[in-house]
Amino acid sequence: MVASQKAYKRGTSLPSSNPFQRLAELLDGETPGLDPIIMTIGEPQHAIPDFTAEVLAENMAGFRRYPPINGTPEFRAAIAAWLDRRYQLNGLVDPEHGVLPLNGSREGLSFGAISARDQLDKGLDHPAVILPNPFYQTYAAAAHVADAQAVLLDAVPGNNFLPDLTSLDADLLDETVAFYIASPTNPEGHAADIAYWQRLIGLARKHRFFIFADECYSEIYRDTPPPGILEAARDMGGDLSNIVVLNSLSKRSNLAGLRCGFAAGDPEFLRKWAKFRGLAAPQVPLPAQAVAVRAYQDEAHVAENRRLYNDKFEVAERHLGPILGPVTPEAGFFLWLDIGRWGDAVSVTKALWRDAGVKVLPGSYLASDQSDGSNPGRTYIRISLTAPLVQTDTALRRLANWLGDKA
Ligand SMILES: Cc1ncc(COP(=O)(O)O)c(C=O)c1O
């Protein structure tokens, strides 16, 4: 095997269950040692913006209508204007043709690869869809739906928890129709820099594939806003071809249940995708779009959201820093902790539940085994800092005590 092929594995099939179902099976029959604290699910718990109810009430009549698949003009304008402010795009995203509403970014991620495959028409039985490993499991579902081969690229500390773009064979890239990547990453909370994005854009154009840039954690950062792929495209002359960025109100505005997000970027891709979506995809209810219009015009609630997460990361640093070293990622709301000194992720997860009543997610459940049997999540656990501060404090103190006791 040549060195460049070690980073990826082909043909991974759809995981048979999601990481939370696997965790439930793992802990089935196990009794928590102390009153349980759940630190697994990435569902934001901070307050929803206070204008939400008012906007929904004002737009109630909209629930009677089937919404247009490409959204309201107000929605598209609000998204294009927000992208402009956030990334200084100087009008690069045309509200008319460069924005589509989604039922959350997950829905767009699921439907992306199949349209990429159709639009590119590379004439392959099973084109490739590239994913990072660990990965948000919907990317694998998207590859499955598109009847494509998932190709997993390890995202490990040595390459800043991002797929190594220098290790890819030209043949693989020629067969690729979609490249899924989150930045900031889940679970590790690292962000791609402009040079990384530009290298990826260059590859996408040379080898003809679409980039699905999942930026749903873009607003949950510590102090520096992570760069986005659209900014990178701006600096390359402003061409948006081959680029689809996805984002939503779920993390930014604590509105995961509203199911409202957007795709923006390549106008030609979006035009054809909207046609397909007009047949296949769920539309976004008009009152939800109205909330989005308001939410994307308000940064105060987002700043408050960041402040609350930062408080919890301070607590994490205080409890865990002395044992594990710095644990705070540049973005996102997860701790991604290397617990290899204490065992593998699954056994540590079980022991933490039994001994300390703290439920965490084994990193290996967020990744797939590579062909050499390795799993880049094998020595990691993911802890979501979505619970209230007091609960977070208790859980992390228990975790620190457990690590200290077993060291
Ligand atoms: C990396 C990643 N992408 C997408 C999503 C889906 O988010 P949304 O609520 O926008 O569909 C999540 C949700 O946890 C996520 O972690």
Side-chain angles (χ1 to χ4, degrees), residues 104-106 109 136 139 186 214 216-217 248 250-251 259:
S105 44
R106 171 169 147 140
L109 292 163
Y136 182 58
Y139 307 161
N186 170 6
D214 177 0
C216 70
Y217 292 94
S248 79
S250 301
K251 321 291 180 192
R259 309 309 303 135

Side-chain angles (χ1 to χ4, degrees), residues 92 162 165 181 192-206 209 211 213 215 227-239 241-243:
L92 199 57
L162 291 164
L165 300 180
I181 179 165
D193 61 16
I194 294 283
Y196 187 92
W197 282 132
Q198 291 187 343
R199 185 187 278 265
L200 183 55
I201 293 169
L203 290 174
R205 290 185 182 151
K206 181 166 174 208
F209 59 82
I211 303 164
E215 296 189 357
I229 194 170
L230 296 176
E231 246 172 313
R234 176 205 63 196
D235 294 349
M236 292 170 85
D239 180 6
S241 54
N242 304 78
I243 297 171

